[in-house]
């Protein structure tokens, strides 16, 4: 799934109460990709690394440094997510629901990445199990995703006017 959709899914799933809750969920929704790719794009921007070839579909991941794959595995593991979620639950004495946007990011990535580009290592570090899914840029994923998001946002944030985020 693209990073904006991840944020929007997180927001609509766990951030419907108020603005703060929405943006917290949005940030948890984009965090797994942001932390994996931001250091790399920053280094490309600063001229320290070369921009990988994204002209092929799907892009070739060879030009992407190993440390990106390591961060990606960490942030895309349901096990790592569960550990953090439980730690925060214990500290706060109640579930930090906005944080669950991180969990649905992983669940959405599992079927929307193919083996050729960042398959989701959801059981890392115990298993390299992953699904050879349909890339999210494929029209059968991309358009239904956009349509569903529009429907949900219109319903929850405009039609029902339960929240003041828009
Ligand atoms: Zn992701």
């Amino acid at each position: 799934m693209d990073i904006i959709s991840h944020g929007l899914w997180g927001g609509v799933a766990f951030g419907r109460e108020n603005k703060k809750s929405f943006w917290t969920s949005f940030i948890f929704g984009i965090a797994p990709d942001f932390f994996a790719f931001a250091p790399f794009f920053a280094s490309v921007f600063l001229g320290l690394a070369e921009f990988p070839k994204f002209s092929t579909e799907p892009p070739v991941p060879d030009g992407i440094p190993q440390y990106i794959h390591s961060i990606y595995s960490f942030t895309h593991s349901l096990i790592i997510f569960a550990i953090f979620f439980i730690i925060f639950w214990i500290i706060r004495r109640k579930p930090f629901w906005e944080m669950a946007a991180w969990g649905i990011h992983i669940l959405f990535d599992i079927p929307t990445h193919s083996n050729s580009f960042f398959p989701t290592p959801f059981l890392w570090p115990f298993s390299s199990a992953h699904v050879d899914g349909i890339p999210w840029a494929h029209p059968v994923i991309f358009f239904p995703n956009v349509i569903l998001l529009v429907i949900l946002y219109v319903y929850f944030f405009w039609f029902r006017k339960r929240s003041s985020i828009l």
Side-chain angles (χ1 to χ4, degrees):
M1 203 62 71
D2 66 283
I3 191 162
I4 300 300
S5 293
H6 277 307
L8 293 173
W9 277 110
V12 77
F14 300 105
R16 297 199 304 271
E17 282 311 309
N18 53 50
K19 233 178 210 172
K20 187 177 168 229
S21 173
F22 177 82
W23 288 110
T24 308
S25 306
F26 187 91
I27 286 165
F28 271 113
I30 66 168
D33 287 346
F34 182 82
F35 286 115
F37 292 106
F40 178 57
F41 283 109
S43 63
V44 169
F45 182 73
L46 294 170
L48 302 170
E50 214 168 294
F51 198 78
K53 263 216 207 140
F54 278 133
S55 52
T56 53
E57 183 53 51
V60 183
D62 299 348
I64 296 171
Q66 188 50 45
Y67 76 91
I68 301 293
H69 289 276
S70 305
I71 304 171
Y72 192 89
S73 298
F74 184 88
T75 61
H76 285 74
S77 162
L78 285 174
I79 292 162
I80 302 295
F81 158 70
I83 291 169
F84 276 89
F85 192 75
I86 291 164
I87 290 171
F88 274 77
W89 190 335
I90 293 166
I91 294 170
R92 294 164 53 103
R93 293 164 200 263
K94 59 178 184 195
F96 187 4
W97 284 118
E98 288 84 352
M99 198 176 186
W102 174 7
I104 58 165
H105 177 127
I106 300 168
L107 292 178
F108 276 49
D109 269 353
I110 292 172
T112 61
H113 280 258
S114 70
N115 280 348
S116 55
F117 194 73
F118 286 95
T120 309
F122 58 99
L123 295 177
W124 186 90
F126 299 114
S127 162
S128 58
H130 57 268
V131 173
D132 187 15
I134 304 169
W136 56 260
H138 193 286
V140 299
I141 304 281
F142 189 83
F143 291 109
N145 174 53
V146 172
I147 292 164
L148 242 129
L149 279 171
V150 169
I151 292 170
L152 288 172
Y153 270 76
V154 167
Y155 179 70
F156 282 114
F157 296 118
W158 183 65
F159 182 64
R160 285 180 66 182
K161 288 195 180 6
R162 258 187 54 190
S163 165
S164 57
I165 67 134
L166 297 178

